[in-house]
Amino acid sequence: MRVDPDGDSGPRRGTAAGPSWRTSSHGLVVPAHVPQTVEQRILEAAVRLPEGGVVTGWAALRLAGAAYYDGLAGRTPRPVPVLLPHTSRIRGPGVLVERTRGRLPEPVVRHGVPCTPGDLALLHELSRATSTRAAGVMVDMALAAGVVDLEGVRQVAAVRRLPAAAAYALERACAECRSPRESEMLQVWESDVGFPRPLMNRQVLDLSGRVIAVVDLLEPESGTYGEYNGASHRSRERQRRDEARADALRGVGLEGFVLVAGDSERVWRERMSSARGRALWLREDQRRWRLGAFVPAPPLPDEDEEAFEALMLEHYRSLE
């Protein structure tokens, strides 16, 4: 396969028959056996970058390790965002081009791909957020993955003009959410219902120090906790465990609400308010439970990282 500096590519003509090829969404011709993963789409855009160009936005955050950024809008692949010098251009489909007359940031090379630093990549992504809620999730998921530092992002943002959604997301950001739905639940609790900032993903202990549960949302002052139960909670065994867990939490005086897929946000608000209204509001010395540690999102397993590196290596071999 041949790739020229402007990004035009194709198999050499007139050569002996080789492997089968396919044309990617970026207009590149690649071996048919190469899987069309989100990382592959990023790489196919990156090989067409002109001098000084970098990958940014969701694609740079993905390569940094933020799995939430899957490059999809529903089921539709999103174009790969790139940042270019003002006079540069890139050929072909599948990319979203942003140009700057200013000095480009020093690139961070991830898996051989030049990327903007995480804080700038996040700000570029926030500029295209479709709502304040979506912007809030973007920030929380970048923080959960550990690919940005909140204060660092805020410092970079302080000298830029931000859309209202981005300003909101950075102001209310939470580094304790482990999933998009948890971020949405927190935003409804705070921004829609108007309750104070709770704790997220905290252990609840009994008075002997035994861990009863790790709850998604916890307001210690009222004794209210909240959970979001997604598709993984539908099995009979998981439902049995969830009910035993809820019973144990009720047993120490905590009042809870559970949100499930398909609930409207009106239902979310009603359940939150109702549970908080039923809560006991006990002083700390009256409680039959204690607050435990924050439980962060699990790190990316080493074998997944190795598999990702293998995919990158296979890609570069396919370009030789």
Side-chain angles (χ1 to χ4, degrees):
M1 179 178 180
R2 172 174 51 86
V3 180
D4 72 25
D6 290 322
D8 289 339
S9 58
R12 296 183 184 276
R13 299 181 182 276
T15 59
S20 59
W21 304 85
R22 64 173 170 82
T23 301
S24 75
S25 61
H26 297 279
L28 294 177
V29 180
V30 299
H33 73 275
V34 176
Q36 187 70 352
T37 63
V38 59
E39 289 82 9
Q40 178 67 23
R41 291 200 297 111
I42 297 169
L43 287 166
E44 290 174 7
V47 297
R48 297 158 46 212
L49 285 171
E51 183 69 26
V54 288
V55 168
T56 189
W58 68 259
L61 295 167
R62 175 76 177 199
L63 293 186
Y68 166 75
Y69 294 91
D70 59 6
L72 297 174
R75 296 184 178 182
T76 304
R78 297 175 58 197
V80 176
V82 297
L83 179 63
L84 306 180
H86 181 68
T87 57
S88 295
R89 61 193 179 95
I90 188 170
R91 297 180 183 176
V95 294
L96 178 64
V97 177
E98 181 173 342
R99 294 184 174 85
T100 178
R101 294 181 181 274
R103 182 179 178 181
L104 269 76
E106 187 69 24
V108 178
V109 178
R110 303 190 188 280
H111 306 285
V113 176
C115 300
T116 55
D119 49 13
L120 190 56
L122 179 57
L123 291 177
H124 285 164
E125 190 66 11
L126 285 172
S127 70
R128 291 182 283 273
T130 56
S131 67
T132 56
R133 182 71 49 76
V137 173
M138 287 178 186
V139 173
D140 289 354
M141 292 303 95
L143 292 171
V147 300
V148 297
D149 171 74
L150 181 56
E151 290 310 311
V153 177
R154 286 172 171 168
Q155 288 176 15
V156 175
V159 296
R160 300 170 69 91
R161 182 177 297 176
L162 296 180
Y168 155 84
L170 292 177
E171 174 65 26
R172 52 73 41 206
C174 177
E176 296 184 346
C177 295
R178 302 198 306 180
S179 72
R181 285 300 196 180
E182 287 180 8
S183 175
E184 292 176 4
M185 178 167 60
L186 173 60
Q187 292 183 68
V188 171
W189 174 277
E190 287 188 303
S191 300
D192 290 15
V193 188
F195 296 152
R197 170 66 57 98
L199 302 174
M200 304 296 289
N201 292 296
R202 293 300 177 101
Q203 293 176 334
V204 175
L205 315 177
D206 64 18
L207 296 184
S208 71
R210 180 180 64 91
V211 177
I212 300 173
V214 177
V215 296
D216 294 344
L217 179 152
L218 178 65
E219 185 183 48
E221 294 77 13
S222 66
T224 307
Y225 75 92
E227 300 275 70
Y228 180 84
N229 289 352
S232 65
H233 292 257
R234 292 174 185 167
S235 70
R236 183 172 64 180
E237 176 61 20
R238 187 60 182 268
Q239 289 176 358
R240 185 189 66 79
R241 289 165 50 197
D242 286 346
E243 185 52 41
R245 186 168 174 270
D247 186 63
L249 290 167
R250 284 192 298 268
V252 295
L254 285 169
E255 188 65 46
F257 62 88
V258 177
L259 311 178
V260 298
D263 286 340
S264 68
E265 290 194 3
R266 177 186 60 80
V267 170
W268 285 26
R269 294 191 295 269
E270 290 174 353
R271 288 184 184 166
M272 290 174 178
S273 298
S274 179
R276 197 169 185 262
R278 296 190 306 267
L280 298 178
W281 292 85
L282 299 175
R283 297 194 313 266
E284 186 172 357
D285 62 353
Q286 296 175 315
R287 299 171 191 163
R288 288 173 284 153
W289 60 274
R290 295 288 180 263
L291 181 64
F294 166 65
V295 180
L300 182 71
D302 291 342
E303 59 267 23
D304 287 356
E305 186 69 14
E306 290 172 2
F308 188 34
E309 292 285 3
L311 186 151
M312 304 297 121
L313 180 60
E314 175 65 21
H315 172 80
Y316 286 114
R317 285 174 177 163
S318 74
L319 299 181
E320 294 176 354

